[in-house]
Amino acid sequence: MLGDREKIMATELYNKLIELIIVQAEELNEGLKIQIDVAAGENAALFGEGGVLKSIELVNLIVAVEQAVEDEFNVFLTLADEKAMSQKKSPFRTIGALAAYIEKRMQEES
Amino acid sequence: MTTSFGNDGITSHNSAPVTLITGTSRGIGRFLANHYLEQGHKVIGCSRKPADWIHPNYEHHIADVAQESDVKQVLKAVRTNHGRLDNLINNAGIAAMNHFLLTPTSVVEKVFNTNVVGTFLFCRESARLMKKNNFGRIVNFSTVAVPLKLEGEAVYAASKAAVICLTQVAAREFAEFGITVNAVGPTPIKTDLIAGVSEEKIEALLNRQAIPRFGTFEDVANVIDFFLKKESSFITGQVVMLGGV
């Protein structure tokens, strides 16, 4: 039972993170020639294969997302660390992958 | 007060500059805090101890500059209370003087944590806030001990050489955000930092400068004033050593 409840809470957090990342992506999009397809939601490609962001644009997105996470949850995360780099699949490939990675990191922190 | 800032004047606002200075409880940090308060800045300062002075436009935070969580808390407060940051003066630093062969590893770690890690953390966290306005001025502290290669100051000078490198690389990486990053290299000034150094050593050191006298807080402030000017938008990655070193 507890496992199920945890799963539901995690899903809520995941959805919240998707919304949070989309808000930041929309803001970033204003300055982008090739924009993040925010309408695709969690499947929107960010960086790497099929991604739309240049590396500096990804830096800007990560900084904005870290700050939004800090504001929303009062959690300080440094996302682009060695943990992120050592993942088999990059956590920066899609909005969903990024949300899942932040969720995982937040659970590790708490 | 009307201030116009920004990359080619794109960003402008009608409020006092917000200036963050580390190590403001005493010495040059305290002097600089007052210096910029007198110029109408809103000044945020920090040190490991509480400040024993107050000013209506000054707020003090107790923070260890080498602790990431402390630095993040300071910048969070700046963001919450002011919404932006115009200037960062990375003054906090510690010195250590000892023969290379007698220098404990703990001293190396302490000096590098404060001087290098502290400078790095404040640059990183401040630039994140500054980039929102596409404007920022960062001034780091090096020392003439780097070009003079002073004996007995291997660790201190090495840490301050690292600050120069951080400054010059950050200058390139932050340029696109309208943020300049420069450094000042003071000569010996009569502060606590040189309290333990013998008179002969200081005398010998001063004699290696083109202008052989102690530096003053005003000498340092003068260079920082120049770096902070809005007209200095084309000055970045520079290190100004005082005293003609």
Side-chain angles (χ1 to χ4, degrees):
Chain A
M1 283 302 282
L2 187 67
D4 284 341
R5 199 165 79 218
E6 273 175 357
K7 203 174 170 188
I8 291 162
M9 282 172 70
T11 307
E12 276 174 14
L13 175 59
Y14 175 81
N15 289 337
K16 236 178 164 179
L17 288 166
I18 294 284
E19 280 173 34
L20 177 149
I21 296 166
I22 286 175
V23 170
Q24 301 308 319
E26 282 171 339
E27 211 165 292
L28 185 72
N29 268 348
E30 289 171 21
L32 297 184
K33 279 184 189 155
I34 306 169
Q35 299 189 328
I36 301 165
D37 180 16
V38 287
E42 62 184 355
N43 296 321
L46 295 176
F47 188 72
E49 210 182 315
V52 296
L53 298 178
K54 292 179 197 157
S55 51
I56 188 65
E57 292 161 354
L58 178 67
V59 170
N60 285 329
L61 179 67
I62 293 172
V63 168
V65 167
E66 283 179 354
Q67 210 144 72
V69 168
E70 182 188 319
D71 289 341
E72 184 72 24
F73 303 102
N74 203 27
V75 177
F76 296 114
L77 291 178
T78 305
L79 294 170
D81 60 5
E82 65 275 13
K83 281 185 196 161
M85 301 313 161
S86 65
Q87 303 287 307
K88 277 185 187 160
K89 282 184 164 181
S90 163
F92 307 121
R93 63 192 189 280
T94 61
I95 285 181
L98 182 54
Y101 184 65
I102 296 171
E103 182 184 28
K104 190 174 143 212
R105 290 289 304 277
M106 284 175 71
Q107 283 164 348
E108 283 169 4
E109 296 281 317
S110 62
Chain B
M1 182 175 170
T2 301
T3 316
S4 179
F5 285 140
N7 194 357
D8 301 318
I10 292 165
T11 312
S12 65
H13 49 77
N14 295 316
S15 52
V18 179
T19 300
L20 172 58
I21 306 172
T22 63
T24 45
S25 65
R26 59 186 175 162
I28 189 153
R30 181 173 177 163
F31 174 87
L32 290 170
N34 279 307
H35 177 75
Y36 289 108
L37 284 166
E38 279 171 15
Q39 293 185 24
H41 294 217
K42 287 175 186 163
V43 177
I44 301 98
C46 67
S47 61
R48 278 172 295 183
K49 291 176 188 161
D52 58 0
W53 56 283
I54 54 167
H55 186 285
N57 287 329
Y58 178 76
E59 66 185 57
H60 191 84
H61 295 269
I62 296 173
D64 177 349
V65 299
Q67 289 298 324
E68 186 173 40
S69 53
D70 284 12
V71 179
K72 280 181 176 280
Q73 288 295 349
V74 172
L75 266 298
K76 191 180 181 189
V78 175
R79 197 152 57 87
T80 309
N81 299 343
H82 304 282
R84 66 170 217 278
L85 179 64
D86 301 306
N87 308 308
L88 165 68
I89 302 171
N90 259 322
N91 158 73
I94 52 172
M97 193 152 183
N98 210 335
H99 194 283
F100 201 117
L101 299 179
L102 303 179
T103 303
T105 311
S106 60
V107 169
V108 181
E109 287 165 352
K110 205 172 155 193
V111 169
F112 269 75
N113 277 338
T114 301
N115 297 356
V116 184
V117 177
T119 298
F120 166 78
L121 288 173
F122 269 95
C123 283
R124 186 187 72 190
E125 295 303 316
S126 297
R128 286 171 167 233
L129 183 51
M130 289 170 168
K131 77 191 268 296
K132 287 188 173 175
N133 278 344
N134 205 30
F135 177 88
R137 298 277 181 269
I138 296 176
V139 182
N140 294 328
F141 270 61
S142 188
T143 165
V144 296
V146 175
L148 291 179
K149 296 164 182 48
L150 297 178
E151 300 96 326
E153 298 200 3
V155 173
Y156 175 62
S159 75
K160 292 297 192 175
V163 168
I164 292 178
C165 205
L166 283 180
T167 299
Q168 292 173 332
V169 177
R172 288 176 175 271
E173 294 198 24
F174 295 174
E176 68 180 290
F177 307 129
I179 301 168
T180 66
V181 194
N182 294 288
V184 58
T187 63
I189 302 175
K190 287 178 177 167
T191 64
D192 297 349
L193 214 61
I194 59 158
V197 186
S198 73
E199 263 182 46
E200 298 83 57
K201 280 261 182 205
I202 292 289
E203 188 68 26
L205 200 169
L206 294 182
N207 283 330
R208 292 177 67 185
Q209 298 169 192
I211 306 166
R213 67 160 169 83
F214 274 103
T216 65
F217 291 165
E218 288 81 0
D219 292 326
V220 179
N222 178 46
V223 177
I224 299 174
D225 284 346
F226 168 67
F227 287 144
L228 298 193
K229 281 172 72 174
K230 68 177 167 58
E231 293 84 355
S232 297
S233 60
F234 206 39
I235 311 288
T236 196
Q238 303 305 303
V239 184
V240 173
M241 294 289 169
L242 287 164
V245 172

